[in-house]
Amino acid sequence: DDGTIHYADETVQPAFVMDIVKCDAEVISAPPLSAVHLSMTASVWNGGEKKIALEGEWDTISRSLDLSFRYDRDRISFKGVMKLIHSLPRFEGAVQVRELDLGSAVLETYQKGEYVAGILNADLRFSSDGGNPAILMRSLAGSGSIRIRDGAIKNRNLIKEILEKTSPVIAVAALVEGEIPAEMTGMMQGPDTDFQKTTVDFSVENGVVSVNNFLLMHPDYQLDGTGTHTLHERKVDISSSLVFSKSISEYFVKKIHELKAVRDRNGLVTIPFRCMGTLSDVVVVPDLPYISSRIVQVGAQELLTKSIERLMKLLEPKTSEQTQTGTAVETVIAPSTTEPNKDETTISDR
């Protein structure tokens, strides 16, 4: 009655409560009911006031509904259309996000778990057919891009986690325990995965998101990869690589010689891994078989190189000094060989 909508989520503790206030809706019909226009404005209160606005226009003749939605002065905007085709709704639309602070957008109640912080810009175009959420999810198609700067994956240190999980083939305790350089403290011992910029380019077909390009960048490391996310099953499967900067790579190899085996052509330590599981429980798994094979391969190459170096030393031609020494020896030996002959002759003459 007072134009306020109360919302509460008691699945988390403490319970999240949000109020949508100052709701003002207007419906205008165009005679003879060929079109109906709806507009609504409101304010959302949760630690601060954000304006929302919704407009829609239903065309009876074309059986279509045009919709537009704006949040916080176009920080998030949506424009789309819903058409009835043989009594089956079809949705088409586009979403834009501009300079949205994810840290403040993620409510404090939900910040105890893993989440992404940073300044978000995103563009998405999509289409879907169906009369219920499950069918809409399975038929979803489209494409989009996500850009986040000055952010972090909060409450999860992927760098430390990936390194620790390589311990079955490489003893990495020296990297994650004890004293480390000050500039590496956050990367190796902090609670989060910080980044300067993250980009994601993706396409969607039949409810499956194909991640065509994922890149997370930090001065000391980067994560990159491709993979899929099945929306209706909430399953994730991303093949990725963790690549360290040149200075960090040199430090790591100096501390742990085996890491030399997983350097790329530029000398950067590179650890391949996969992100698998459901969206709420993604597991990071380093590619241990590949890492093991690289250690064996590089070890065999080093052994072969050392063997060849020893063989080459044995086959090296004599130096001029060696030749002169050999000649001197022959000169010394020659007279001694002649003298016994003279002695023998004298002895026989006698």
Side-chain angles (χ1 to χ4, degrees):
D1 294 338
D2 60 356
T4 299
I5 299 174
H6 300 281
Y7 172 80
D9 181 3
E10 297 182 353
T11 62
V12 293
Q13 293 298 325
F16 164 64
V17 178
M18 178 178 70
D19 290 334
I20 302 177
V21 301
K22 302 178 184 178
C23 290
D24 185 15
E26 182 182 28
V27 178
I28 302 175
S29 299
L33 294 179
S34 60
V36 177
H37 181 82
L38 166 69
S39 63
M40 185 186 79
T41 59
S43 296
V44 179
W45 278 95
N46 180 58
E49 184 179 16
K50 303 294 183 182
K51 302 285 188 180
I52 61 173
L54 173 67
E55 290 188 40
E57 185 163 328
W58 168 256
D59 189 313
T60 306
I61 298 175
S62 63
R63 304 177 71 191
S64 65
L65 174 65
D66 289 317
L67 283 172
S68 68
F69 172 83
R70 300 186 305 278
Y71 169 79
D72 191 20
R73 299 179 180 178
D74 290 332
R75 192 77 68 189
I76 301 176
S77 62
F78 162 79
K79 289 184 179 181
V81 60
M82 187 275 290
K83 297 181 180 180
L84 286 176
I85 302 176
H86 304 297
S87 299
L88 182 68
R90 175 176 177 79
F91 297 88
E92 296 178 354
V95 178
Q96 286 187 340
V97 182
R98 294 292 178 264
E99 299 294 302
L100 177 66
D101 185 350
L102 292 172
S104 61
V106 177
L107 306 171
E108 185 176 355
T109 303
Y110 300 103
Q111 290 182 6
K112 296 179 180 179
E114 180 183 337
Y115 68 99
V116 177
I119 306 302
L120 171 66
N121 288 274
D123 293 275
L124 169 66
R125 299 190 65 85
F126 70 91
S127 64
S128 186
D129 303 275
N132 62 64
I135 295 176
L136 287 171
M137 194 74 72
R138 290 176 181 271
S139 64
L140 185 66
S143 62
S145 64
I146 297 172
R147 304 287 185 270
I148 307 173
R149 72 174 191 274
D150 303 326
I153 301 173
K154 305 294 286 185
N155 302 321
R156 188 166 190 178
N157 188 332
L158 287 175
I159 311 306
K160 180 180 178 182
E161 185 177 342
I162 293 168
L163 285 172
E164 287 180 334
K165 288 186 176 181
T166 63
S167 58
V169 293
I170 299 178
V172 297
L175 298 180
V176 296
E177 298 176 0
E179 293 185 4
I180 60 176
E183 63 271 18
M184 294 173 56
T185 303
M187 179 182 74
M188 302 302 297
Q189 298 179 348
D192 309 321
T193 306
D194 297 322
F195 59 83
Q196 288 183 334
K197 181 173 66 173
T198 292
T199 62
V200 183
D201 298 315
F202 61 91
S203 58
V204 188
E205 190 68 33
N206 296 323
V208 178
V209 179
S210 296
V211 179
N212 306 315
N213 174 53
F214 165 75
L215 180 62
L216 180 150
M217 300 184 67
H218 183 275
D220 294 329
Y221 55 82
Q222 74 174 36
L223 302 172
D224 58 64
T226 60
T228 60
H229 169 40
T230 306
L231 293 173
H232 60 278
E233 295 178 341
R234 299 174 60 84
K235 287 185 177 180
V236 175
D237 189 355
I238 307 291
S239 297
S240 304
S241 293
L242 167 60
V243 184
F244 290 99
S245 67
K246 187 173 182 61
S247 61
I248 298 296
S249 296
E250 290 174 351
Y251 172 81
F252 281 179
V253 171
K254 184 177 179 181
K255 295 280 286 187
I256 300 178
H257 180 72
E258 289 84 355
L259 286 172
K260 182 179 180 180
V262 291
R263 292 184 301 180
D264 64 10
R265 65 182 63 184
N266 297 314
L268 307 181
V269 171
T270 302
I271 301 177
F273 67 96
R274 292 178 67 186
C275 294
M276 301 181 295
T278 59
L279 196 59
S280 59
D281 186 23
V282 177
V283 178
V284 174
V285 183
D287 190 347
L288 298 184
Y290 169 81
I291 296 172
S292 300
S293 67
R294 285 292 300 159
I295 292 174
V296 172
Q297 181 182 353
V298 171
Q301 287 175 346
E302 289 181 347
L303 181 61
L304 178 61
T305 300
K306 290 179 180 178
S307 299
I308 293 174
E309 287 175 353
R310 292 194 189 102
L311 180 60
M312 292 302 292
K313 286 181 179 180
L314 292 174
L315 297 177
E316 282 180 354
K318 295 179 180 179
T319 63
S320 57
E321 182 180 351
Q322 289 174 324
T323 304
Q324 291 173 2
T325 304
T327 304
V329 171
E330 290 175 0
T331 304
V332 172
I333 293 175
S336 64
T337 306
T338 306
E339 283 299 321
N341 289 338
K342 287 182 178 182
D343 292 342
E344 290 173 4
T345 304
T346 305
I347 291 171
S348 63
D349 289 339
R350 291 179 182 178

